[in-house]
Amino acid sequence: MRGTSWELLSSLLVFILSVSRCHGGCAEVDSMTEAVAGESFLLGCVSCKRRAEVPAHATVDWHFRSTGEEEYVNIFHYDHPKPEILHADFNDRLEWQGTMGTQDVQTGAVFIHNVTFNDTGTYLCTFQRTLYLPRKNEIIIVEKEVELIVVAKANRELLSVVSEIMMYVLIVVLQLWMFVVLIYCYRKIWAEHEARDARKALRAHKKALLNEPFNITDKCDGVLME
């Protein structure tokens, strides 16, 4: 179950990071920073091109610096359409998940499969983009770091806990609100029922008065005539 949830979350993040593939635009989303040993992890890296109308060519490099080390080592290189794994420790474990089908790369995400505790450290994502301008080509280099921690078991993030609490609070509030609405509707219906009965009784009383014969008493009864 945990693996399935992680795969769904990773797929969602891939979709968010790959928004640049659509015509809607490009969103630079920070990568997650906690991986679970034995599972897969998505290293996210996005560099949006600011001038969409300018043709460009971009390459992506990933470097890794393990905890306690000072130097980075180049572990991955992507130059459309060919991804290359450059370090033996990551052989068969890195999978390109960035922009595909074009050399104008804006998403440079990669999957690390079968994560180990030795993968803990700092990852450096480097975009080298060449803009093909009319007068002179321009080279732009963008670097982004991802601090990765590998844990034995996934920790619940604060946002997840708060979201779950808010969900239960919302459920309770909705139930109370429905209870109040039911009481209000019941009282309104009962009041209308009583008013209708009162009107029926009043109409019946008026009808009875109209149908009742007049009793005229002779005031002269008992008066002796002289």
Side-chain angles (χ1 to χ4, degrees):
M1 178 65 68
R2 185 183 64 183
T4 302
S5 300
W6 182 257
E7 290 175 359
L8 290 174
L9 182 60
S10 299
S11 299
L12 178 61
L13 187 56
V14 169
F15 173 77
I16 295 173
L17 292 175
S18 303
V19 69
S20 60
R21 301 178 193 177
C22 304
H23 296 290
C26 175
E28 296 191 7
V29 182
D30 292 335
S31 174
M32 299 180 68
T33 58
E34 185 178 285
V36 179
E39 298 185 3
S40 297
F41 179 79
L42 181 69
L43 283 171
C45 182
V46 180
S47 175
C48 298
K49 188 175 65 175
R50 304 306 177 187
R51 299 178 61 182
E53 74 281 0
V54 177
H57 174 84
T59 61
V60 178
D61 282 277
W62 279 96
H63 296 76
F64 172 63
R65 184 181 66 196
S66 61
T67 304
E69 298 292 332
E70 296 183 358
E71 300 293 331
Y72 281 101
V73 292
N74 195 353
I75 61 173
F76 186 85
H77 176 77
Y78 181 80
D79 188 354
H80 176 76
K82 183 181 179 182
E84 294 182 78
I85 300 175
L86 304 177
H87 197 280
D89 291 346
F90 293 90
N91 279 344
D92 300 323
R93 294 204 300 131
L94 295 182
E95 179 185 355
W96 176 252
Q97 288 293 317
T99 304
M100 298 181 183
T102 175
Q103 63 180 5
D104 189 3
V105 177
Q106 298 189 62
T107 301
V110 293
F111 257 130
I112 302 180
H113 297 291
N114 192 23
V115 174
T116 68
F117 289 101
N118 291 331
D119 295 331
T120 299
T122 305
Y123 291 81
L124 178 66
C125 170
T126 304
F127 273 86
Q128 181 170 307
R129 176 174 291 118
T130 302
L131 299 177
Y132 300 121
L133 302 176
R135 294 185 178 181
K136 182 181 180 181
N137 294 341
E138 180 179 353
I139 297 177
I140 299 176
I141 297 177
V142 177
E143 294 183 341
K144 297 187 177 184
E145 287 188 349
V146 178
E147 295 287 346
L148 181 62
I149 299 175
V150 180
V151 296
K153 183 178 179 180
N155 296 319
R156 298 184 65 187
E157 296 183 356
L158 178 61
L159 181 60
S160 174
V161 176
V162 172
S163 299
E164 186 172 345
I165 293 175
M166 290 302 297
M167 179 185 67
Y168 287 119
V169 170
L170 183 60
I171 292 174
V172 173
V173 171
L174 287 176
Q175 289 179 341
L176 292 175
W177 178 77
M178 291 180 63
F179 183 70
V180 172
V181 170
L182 287 175
I183 294 178
Y184 171 78
C185 293
Y186 175 78
R187 294 183 63 180
K188 187 174 181 180
I189 293 172
W190 181 255
E192 291 179 354
H193 176 72
E194 289 185 336
R196 184 167 57 251
D197 288 345
R199 289 193 297 268
K200 286 182 179 180
L202 182 60
R203 286 195 297 267
H205 180 66
K206 289 181 178 180
K207 185 177 181 180
L209 291 177
L210 292 174
N211 294 332
E212 182 179 352
F214 289 101
N215 296 323
I216 303 176
T217 303
D218 189 355
K219 295 182 180 181
C220 297
D221 289 347
V223 178
L224 296 177
M225 300 298 294
E226 295 181 359

